[in-house]
Amino acid sequence: RHGPDFNARSAEDYAAQAWLFLVRAKSEGLPAKRDPDGVMRVYDPRSAAFAAYNRDGTTKTYFKPGRPDYFEDQPGKPVDLRTLDDFQPPQ
């Protein structure tokens, strides 16, 4: 249902874009939070994209929330994705 936010042509395209977002987030150190259940939330302030990933790195959701404070309202503690070894995108 959020595919149109990213001009995704199919469910597979949407999933691939969400995976690439996580890869880029780790590379660039985008703002991220991890909650007690291990859910990782990532936000790109430039594109206004938000994603949440399960503990195993699979995508929970990926969309553009429409308000910049959405990420701040999410649960979790800030983490630096560039230094996390225990959270990797699935291959």
Side-chain angles (χ1 to χ4, degrees), residues 2-90:
H2 297 300
D5 286 357
F6 305 100
N7 297 316
R9 297 178 304 276
S10 64
E12 292 79 16
D13 183 35
Y14 170 81
Q17 288 187 50
W19 179 79
L20 288 171
F21 181 71
L22 179 56
V23 171
R24 186 170 64 82
K26 286 184 65 65
S27 172
E28 295 179 14
L30 292 179
K33 295 179 180 181
R34 182 169 23 192
D35 74 14
D37 294 326
V39 174
M40 188 70 65
R41 293 171 172 87
V42 181
Y43 181 65
D44 181 356
R46 288 179 295 164
S47 69
F50 170 86
Y53 301 92
N54 298 306
R55 180 184 297 268
D56 65 1
T58 57
T59 302
K60 189 171 182 143
T61 191
Y62 178 49
F63 68 105
K64 293 185 179 180
R67 60 182 180 91
D69 58 343
Y70 182 85
F71 177 73
E72 296 304 320
D73 294 342
Q74 298 302 301
K77 294 186 179 188
V79 295
D80 186 342
L81 288 174
R82 293 171 294 191
T83 61
L84 280 183
D85 292 331
D86 65 336
F87 188 82
Q88 299 294 323

